[in-house]
Amino acid sequence: MAILTAIIGSGGFGGFTGWLTQHLSRRRSMVSKQDLDRFAAQLEKGDRHFQTLDRQDLDLGRQIREVKLIVLRQCLFARPRDRNAHESVLQSGEEYLKLGGNGVGHIRLTQLQEEYALRLQTNDWDYSHSPKEARP
C-alpha cells in the first residue's frame, strides 16, 4: 500500500508541479493593466517630444529661409565684375524673389537684367565701365 501511495503521490505531485510551472510561465508573459497604463504614459511623453521637435523644425525652417534671403540679397546687390558673375547675380536675384524678397530686390534685378541685355546686344563684357548704349 505504501508503494501504491508513493506512485500515485509522486505522479500527482509531478502533475501539479507541471501545471504550476505552466501557469506561472503564462502569467509572466501576460500584460497587466498597470503595464498598459505605464506604456501609454510613455507614449504620451514621446508624443510631447515629437510636438517639441515639430515646433523646433518649423522655427529652424524660418531661420534658414531668413539666412538664405540675407545671403541672396548680398549676392544680388554685389557689383558684377565679369559675365559669369553677372549671370550668377541674376540667378541669385531670381531665387531671392522666389523666396519672397522685397521690392528693392526686384528693382535691382530689373536693373541687372537690363544691363545684361544691353551688354549682350553690344557684346561688351568689359566691366571696368558702364555698358555702351546700343545703337540701331
Side-chain angles (χ1 to χ4, degrees), residues 3 11-12 21 27 31-32 34 37 40 58 60 63 68 73 75 93-95 101 106-109 117 119 129 133:
I3 296 176
T21 306
R27 189 159 178 128
V31 178
S32 69
Q34 184 181 15
D37 291 341
L58 287 174
L60 186 60
Q63 291 172 357
K68 278 184 181 179
R73 186 180 304 120
C75 291
E94 290 169 4
E95 184 68 21
H106 191 285
I107 293 168
R108 174 67 176 150
L109 179 60
R119 287 186 183 276
H129 63 282
E133 291 293 326

Side-chain angles (χ1 to χ4, degrees), residues 72-87:
L72 289 170
R73 186 180 304 120
Q74 289 174 346
C75 291
L76 180 61
F77 285 93
R79 181 185 157 109
R81 306 231 179 260
D82 57 22
R83 183 178 182 173
N84 190 29
H86 200 141
E87 291 170 352

Side-chain angles (χ1 to χ4, degrees), residues 18 26 35 38-39 71 79-80 97 100 107 118 122 131 133 135:
R26 262 193 248 137
D35 292 337
R38 194 175 323 123
F39 183 69
V71 170
R79 181 185 157 109
L97 292 180
I107 293 168
L118 186 59
T122 60
E133 291 293 326
R135 293 186 175 52

Side-chain angles (χ1 to χ4, degrees), residues 114-125:
E114 289 171 358
E115 182 182 338
Y116 186 82
L118 186 59
R119 287 186 183 276
L120 188 62
Q121 189 176 14
T122 60
N123 198 26
D124 179 14
W125 302 108

